[in-house]
Amino acid sequence: MPQQSSFFGLFAKKALYQCVLMVLVVFFLSSTAVAHHPSLHIDYPNYWPFFSRDEDGNMEGFFYDIITEAFIRMDMRASWHEYPWGRCQVNVQCGEASAMISVPTKERLEYTVTHKHSFYMKDLTIFTSIDHPKIKKIEAVTSIEDILRLDLSVVTYVGNGWNDTHIKSRGIKTYQTPRLKNVWQMLANKRADIAIEWPGAAWAHIVSEGVSDKIVQTEVVVASMPFHLLVRKGELFVERLEEFDRIIVEMQEEGLIDEMVRKYVKVGL
């Protein structure tokens, strides 16, 4: 019996040794994989066609596609986490998330760092009713000051911060609707003179609301919003922002970013 006990004891020690060795190997391989494919935690709001999830829960949207392609070229990965927009900003600020995608305002740059070139410019364009009596004057607008001078009213949706800051605050008459798609019904019915929106999202609603024959997109761009990857100060990825910027420029020169945008936005651009 002592000999049998000794045998089983030796067997158990050998099995334990092999188990520990396997754990160490797995840990080493996992660490190596992480080292070769570091990941950035990105918080985002669900906002098609920039970033969203399909019915199967897979990420889609051209902001997502742009970042993913850039990261592939950098041997990087990103983990995407959906929150309301206000929460996304708080999460990055307090360290719950590493990055977000937005316009680099003075306030956001207090706790984030970004790259030199924007990867997308979101043009805010004037729309009006196709038979508006002031359509020639509207098409000649060159600034927000012209909108005020012409006494034009604007229709927008509740919570449009850009409109609150740049239009409503200037004393321009503003009508607000709780739902974005209702903007186009109000404009078609001449409840306001103009709407100032991004064509990529606007036309999807204009078509779905059945008013595409009543609304015209002018060539007047009131403002352009540059979108960047904003990385929280102190993150290791900050050291690679110049590399990210160089890759973004390469993708723009290749025409790849325009191609990614056209995959989602086909009308009105």
Side-chain angles (χ1 to χ4, degrees):
M1 288 296 294
Q3 290 181 347
Q4 187 178 16
S5 176
S6 175
F7 171 78
F8 282 114
L10 182 63
F11 179 80
K13 287 181 180 179
K14 184 176 180 181
L16 178 62
Y17 171 77
Q18 290 176 335
C19 182
V20 170
L21 182 61
M22 184 174 294
V23 169
L24 290 173
V25 169
V26 170
F27 176 78
F28 173 77
L29 291 176
S30 299
S31 300
T32 303
V34 170
H36 284 298
H37 300 282
S39 181
L40 192 69
H41 177 128
I42 301 176
D43 277 6
Y44 72 96
N46 185 8
Y47 189 9
W48 186 93
F50 301 110
F51 15 53
S52 187
R53 290 188 183 271
D54 62 19
E55 294 179 353
D56 297 321
N58 300 311
M59 282 293 298
E60 62 179 2
F62 66 83
F63 278 8
Y64 167 75
D65 289 351
I66 292 168
I67 299 299
T68 299
E69 174 61 26
F71 276 23
I72 288 173
R73 299 186 184 196
M74 297 175 69
D75 202 18
M76 282 279 301
R77 292 175 179 170
S79 60
W80 297 81
H81 306 266
E82 180 188 334
Y83 291 98
W85 176 231
R87 176 70 182 278
C88 292
Q89 296 175 83
V90 171
N91 285 352
V92 173
Q93 189 170 13
C94 70
E96 291 294 320
S98 302
M100 60 186 177
I101 297 169
S102 189
V103 178
T105 62
K106 180 181 178 181
E107 293 77 13
R108 292 172 189 144
L109 291 176
E110 290 178 357
Y111 57 92
T112 64
V113 184
T114 191
H115 44 100
K116 181 179 179 181
H117 299 92
S118 64
F119 61 79
Y120 185 74
M121 293 294 292
K122 179 182 174 183
D123 290 339
L124 299 181
T125 304
I126 289 182
F127 292 78
T128 189
S129 53
I130 200 163
D131 56 351
H132 195 287
K134 292 184 179 179
I135 192 167
K136 294 298 182 183
K137 292 182 179 180
I138 291 172
E139 291 175 336
V141 165
T142 60
S143 67
I144 293 174
E145 192 63 34
D146 288 342
I147 298 173
L148 181 62
R149 179 179 55 80
L150 291 170
D151 193 30
L152 299 174
S153 59
V154 177
V155 58
T156 188
Y157 56 93
V158 175
N160 185 340
W162 183 89
N163 189 89
D164 290 343
T165 301
H166 299 279
I167 299 297
K168 192 175 180 180
S169 67
R170 301 285 294 275
I172 296 171
K173 183 181 290 185
T174 299
Y175 298 99
Q176 294 181 315
T177 175
R179 304 179 69 183
L180 176 57
K181 68 177 184 178
N182 291 343
V183 166
W184 308 109
Q185 286 288 354
M186 291 179 67
L187 189 63
N189 293 324
K190 298 182 174 62
R191 295 281 301 278
D193 296 307
I194 63 173
I196 305 171
E197 298 293 340
W198 176 60
W203 278 104
H205 291 295
I206 292 170
V207 172
S208 68
E209 291 301 298
V211 294
S212 58
D213 60 334
K214 298 179 180 179
I215 290 175
V216 62
Q217 174 186 330
T218 73
E219 296 183 2
V220 180
V221 176
V222 175
S224 294
M225 303 171 68
F227 279 84
H228 289 237
L229 177 65
L230 304 177
V231 182
R232 187 172 64 90
K233 290 180 178 179
E235 293 286 334
L236 289 176
F237 187 78
V238 169
E239 299 177 358
R240 302 190 66 181
L241 279 172
E242 287 189 10
E243 179 187 357
F244 176 81
D245 189 71
R246 176 179 56 78
I247 288 172
I248 286 298
V249 172
E250 286 178 357
M251 291 170 61
Q252 289 170 335
E253 292 174 347
E254 293 168 5
L256 182 58
I257 290 181
D258 287 341
E259 181 180 328
M260 289 175 169
V261 173
R262 285 194 296 270
K263 175 183 173 183
Y264 297 90
V265 182
K266 298 180 175 65
V267 183
L269 290 181

